[in-house]
Amino acid sequence: MIKFVCAKDYDEMSRKAANVISAQMVMKANSVLGLATGSTPIGTYACLVERYEKGDLDFSKITSVNLDEYKGLTHDNDQSYYYFMNDNLFSKVNIDLNNTYVPDGTIEDSAEACAKYDEIVRATGGVDLQLLGLGHNGHIGFNEPAEVFPKGTHCVTLAQSTIDANARFFASKEEVPTQAYTMGIQTIMNAKKILMVVSGADKADIVAKAFFGDVTPNVPASILQLHQDVTIVGDEAAFSKIKDMI
Ligand code: GLP
């Protein structure tokens, strides 16, 4: 079941999403959090850091598993998702870095990197709350539109539209890696709860298609219609095409 939570703008969306994550952490101090990158969750992480600084949140028993990573980027590359997580969250809260996991983009052998990550996720005992963003083509993590829903962690060749969208973070389009490691759809669906954040008018079409259209691997996020506990926090612009249906 999908519950839509509408916020007036990006800041309110970020606070409301942080509320959901905070509630999870308060109810279960040793939660396994599935974390996401991209520009949308940055405000959510900033809210969590603020609450940690106020003394309202404790990350000491939290374990985190990230969705994805560019293949070939080293940890000190400021565009790697490893770097992003340290920069936006891990270095600012009291999480034990030994309990934080991001797929290792430096492993050249894809089969080895993916098997290793599936084992890490399995060993956590399962994700309690999975945070997700939404790509313009409906991708979640880096699960691009495909013929089937991929199950476990796998290596993907990024869609040109994803490379174009993410080029804004790199010095040039040529520097955007063309491949990535991502958790599979089954792993994402195995999370007990899912929290998606969406912001901006440019996401309005894909929000309508993914959550009010057919469930199809051509729109990977559409699978979330079949999950029992999904909360989508979006701002008015992102929900503009579905506002009469929620
Ligand atoms: C990226 C990430 C996704 C993210 C998505 C949307 O490619 N791999 O995890 O959700 O694109 O990004 P943004 O939030 O910047 O729109």
Side-chain angles (χ1 to χ4, degrees), residues 37-41 67-68 81 133-135 139 141-142 162 166 168 203:
T37 53
S39 55
T40 316
L67 283 168
D68 49 10
Y81 287 165
L134 179 65
H139 74 234
F142 266 134
T162 301
N166 290 345
R168 64 200 150 116
K203 296 282 171 77

Side-chain angles (χ1 to χ4, degrees), residues 23-213:
Q24 174 67 42
M25 291 174 61
V26 169
M27 298 304 283
K28 189 179 175 193
N30 62 346
S31 290
V32 178
L33 300 179
L35 298 179
T37 53
S39 55
T40 316
I42 289 177
T44 305
Y45 292 138
C47 287
L48 293 177
V49 170
E50 237 173 68
R51 289 171 197 190
Y52 163 74
E53 285 170 349
K54 278 191 196 150
D56 292 338
L57 281 182
D58 176 16
F59 286 79
S60 63
K61 298 189 179 70
I62 294 292
T63 296
S64 72
V65 281
N66 260 77
L67 283 168
D68 49 10
E69 177 61 286
Y70 289 114
K71 183 174 175 180
L73 295 194
T74 51
H75 292 169
D76 60 349
N77 185 310
D78 64 4
Q79 290 312 320
S80 74
Y81 287 165
Y82 179 94
Y83 189 100
F84 174 105
M85 289 311 304
N86 275 302
D87 200 34
N88 285 287
L89 186 67
F90 300 158
S91 66
K92 296 179 173 163
V93 297
N94 65 335
I95 199 163
D96 180 347
L97 283 180
N98 294 316
N99 297 332
T100 66
Y101 302 98
V102 179
D104 190 347
T106 67
I107 301 178
E108 183 53 38
D109 181 335
S110 300
E112 180 196 337
C114 297
K116 199 172 159 198
Y117 203 64
D118 277 338
E119 177 50 29
I120 285 170
V121 177
R122 199 201 55 75
T124 65
V127 174
D128 291 298
L129 177 67
Q130 176 68 57
L131 177 63
L132 295 176
L134 179 65
H136 290 102
N137 59 4
H139 74 234
I140 47 178
F142 266 134
N143 289 278
E144 297 282 25
E147 295 295 307
V148 291
F149 289 111
K151 292 195 170 96
T153 305
H154 56 288
C155 180
V156 281
T157 296
L158 300 177
Q160 190 57 46
S161 62
T162 301
I163 293 175
D164 295 347
N166 290 345
R168 64 200 150 116
F169 301 114
F170 291 81
S172 70
K173 200 177 280 187
E174 289 64 46
E175 283 178 36
V176 187
T178 54
Q179 289 190 310
Y181 296 138
T182 182
M183 263 186 202
I185 294 290
Q186 190 177 58
T187 314
I188 293 171
M189 288 295 279
N190 280 344
K192 293 189 189 87
K193 294 187 177 117
I194 290 179
L195 169 66
M196 176 177 274
V197 282
V198 273
S199 171
D202 55 318
K203 296 282 171 77
D205 283 326
I206 193 62
V207 165
K209 199 170 168 190
F211 306 117
F212 291 88

Side-chain angles (χ1 to χ4, degrees), residues 4-9 13 16 196-200 232-239:
F4 294 91
V5 176
C6 191
K8 68 175 189 308
D9 54 22
M13 177 209 73
K16 285 180 186 251
M196 176 177 274
V197 282
V198 273
S199 171
I232 303 183
V233 185
D235 58 18
E236 282 173 7
F239 282 174

